[in-house]
Amino acid sequence: MSDADEVDYRVAVTGTPGTGKTSATTLLDGPVIHLNELIREAGLWSERDADRDSLVADLDAVRESLGDWSGVVESHLAHHLDADRVVVLRCRPDVLEDRLRDRGADETKATENAESEALDVILSEAVDRHGLERVYEIDTTDRTPADVAEAIEAVVAGDREPSA
Ligand code: ADP
Ligand code: MN
């Protein structure tokens, strides 16, 4: 994508780890920022969570680094950004747990994320920040990444009603 391909929408794609954000957004036509990659590569984190073997992102540094972004941003943190629309990818918790195990996540992480998905943690954070009218849930349980990408394209194009 060159600068000439700048677009006029900002869509955040979020969801519990394992819901398939990276797999689906990689298939989109328009520009995509894979935020977790950027956080690692640009060092936009403030501490290491030793228990979880993960980095705690510095959201102010992330916002500053993104500046006037456009297109799609995907990450389990994407709903913490300003956006026109927020897509929340969902997955049945037991299926999510299997996906995470298959990906090589340890047992604690797989269980923790499945519980977080069952409790709608990211969905409620997204609705709190952006309001129901900007939030679009997409169930990925029985869908291929290509199907999910198509559903995201429909949100980007304004062809889909919010979950509300
Ligand atoms: P996220 O970016 O949301 O953490 P990934 O795209 O990395 O999720 O996918 C997590 C795991 O689940 C990967 O092993 C991936 O191959 C698998 N996966 C992703 N999307 C789907 C899907 N729609 N159906 C089945 N498995 C999927
Ligand atoms: Mn990912």
Side-chain angles (χ1 to χ4, degrees):
M1 283 270 149
S2 67
D3 288 349
D5 294 319
E6 236 177 74
V7 292
D8 64 356
Y9 57 82
R10 288 183 307 174
V11 174
V13 175
T14 188
T16 309
T19 48
K21 302 176 294 296
T22 302
S23 303
T25 56
T26 301
L27 304 173
L28 296 175
D29 287 331
V32 178
I33 298 166
H34 298 285
L35 192 56
N36 293 0
E37 225 168 86
L38 178 73
I39 289 169
R40 258 193 321 272
E41 283 165 10
L44 307 175
W45 49 277
S46 49
E47 56 182 295
R48 204 176 275 279
D49 182 336
D51 289 345
R52 287 178 185 75
D53 183 32
S54 60
L55 303 175
V56 179
D58 178 343
L59 284 174
D60 286 332
V62 167
R63 290 188 190 99
E64 194 176 330
S65 166
L66 286 175
D68 276 332
W69 63 278
S70 65
V72 166
V73 170
E74 70 91 3
S75 162
H76 64 294
L77 301 170
H79 60 286
H80 294 293
L81 303 171
D82 291 338
D84 304 320
R85 301 187 180 119
V86 179
V87 174
V88 181
L89 296 191
R90 305 304 307 269
C91 183
R92 230 175 60 205
D94 58 314
V95 173
L96 184 82
E97 205 167 334
D98 287 342
R99 281 189 197 171
L100 289 167
R101 279 202 202 98
D102 289 349
R103 188 169 76 173
D106 66 51
E107 206 53 33
T108 317
K109 223 176 206 172
T111 311
E112 202 171 81
N113 282 316
E115 279 170 6
S116 165
E117 179 65 10
L119 293 171
D120 301 327
V121 172
I122 288 195
L123 175 67
S124 29
E125 287 177 3
V127 169
D128 278 352
R129 180 178 168 107
H130 297 273
L132 269 176
E133 68 284 0
R134 285 176 195 269
V135 173
Y136 300 73
E137 278 180 280
I138 296 173
D139 185 11
T140 71
T141 310
D142 296 313
R143 272 178 150 144
T144 63
D147 286 342
V148 177
E150 205 174 301
I152 296 171
E153 296 279 19
V155 174
V156 168
D159 290 341
R160 199 183 156 108
E161 294 300 318
S163 323

